[in-house]
Amino acid sequence: MVAVTDVDADALRFWLALHRAPLIGNRRFHRLLAHFGTPRAVFAAGRPVWEALNLPARSIDYLAKPDWARVDADLAWLAAGADRRLLTLAHPEYPTRLREVDDPPALLFVTGQAAALAGPLVAVVGSRSPTPAGLKAARELSQALAAAGIGVVSGLAVGIDAAAHQGALAGGGVTLAVAGTGPDQVYPRYHAKLAAEIVVGGGALVSEYPPGTGPLAANFPRRNRIISGLSHGTLVVEAALRSGSLITARLALEQGRDVFAVPGSIYSPQACGCNALIQQGAKLVQTVADILEELPAGICLRPDPGSAGESGAMAGEPSGILKYIAYEPVTVDTLVAATGLSADRISTELLELELQGAVNALPGGAYIRAE
């Protein structure tokens, strides 16, 4: 383990320089730290020592002549904002939960409140192409977690991730967005406003990648270990069988963290991954209480979250044709068969329900409950 005293400004230059070394990924970074103690000592070792360690030729050439200009640019980015921090493994504020996992990131670029990384957190992840019901569940469960004093961690992606961040903010809580890009970029770009709201709301944007790193496909699965590693548990709201969210769930299990899943229809591709997780032992979640009761004792900052996050079905059965409309698509013909009413009558009532915001119309003439 590196010394916690190695966090002075000059030492950061060597952390950043080693972080930018070609062909020295996170695991090799860890091995070099274990061998030399500090990044500064790595650079001081010299070519014969690097060669004896069988480092790649490109890495050796870089260590002999680091790109200090890019390092200074990284430092300039950090200095340009009062809310920008760099947490190294040697920094005393590096989040303990993340430090405990296999392959923790050597560096974390943080924009916002770095202290939020150490708070009580639950990851909420899921499909980039969710159903209306999935969006509702992610938003309401995240809002309920925030109301209970639990921060929400997600990946700022479209779909469930964005709904999770928005729900946490609506609940007056903090949320962390772990990026697959450098800290100077927001991906997707139209989430720039959401990213700003996360920081203003007392949360943070987090990345292990240096400034200037674009949205490379390989970086997004790797950031999932940070999402799960920061959190006490991971909730998957909707996910297909081949989904990045299932990678996050697997990593959470490997890290010894709880995994939760919202069940879905056996006919919905977006529910297959969650249903499979439940079959494999993930806890089925219907309300926020299902999550809170599994968290360490005393973790909730606001111990009476009430009934927030309960599904509409638990609030009593609705009257009229709404009781025949579930959270999966249903057609007019199906409602005619179920109710015995005429197609014209069904269409009229559906229009009224849509205007009330009780149902959503879907392509192809189907409807789904919205409340």
Side-chain angles (χ1 to χ4, degrees), residues 138-171:
R139 193 176 297 113
E140 292 190 352
L141 287 167
S142 296
Q143 183 171 346
L145 285 168
I150 308 298
V152 172
V153 186
S154 201
L156 202 64
V158 298
I160 296 299
D161 286 17
H165 293 306
Q166 292 162 351
L169 292 170

Side-chain angles (χ1 to χ4, degrees), residues 247-291:
I247 296 176
T248 309
R250 174 179 58 79
L251 291 168
L253 287 173
E254 293 174 357
Q255 294 163 351
R257 312 293 164 81
D258 291 318
V259 175
F260 309 95
V262 174
S265 168
I266 61 173
Y267 303 108
S268 172
Q270 289 96 327
C272 291
C274 289
N275 292 345
L277 285 174
I278 293 168
Q279 283 183 319
Q280 296 161 15
K283 182 169 183 179
L284 186 153
V285 169
Q286 297 182 91
T287 75
V288 71
D290 296 324
I291 301 172

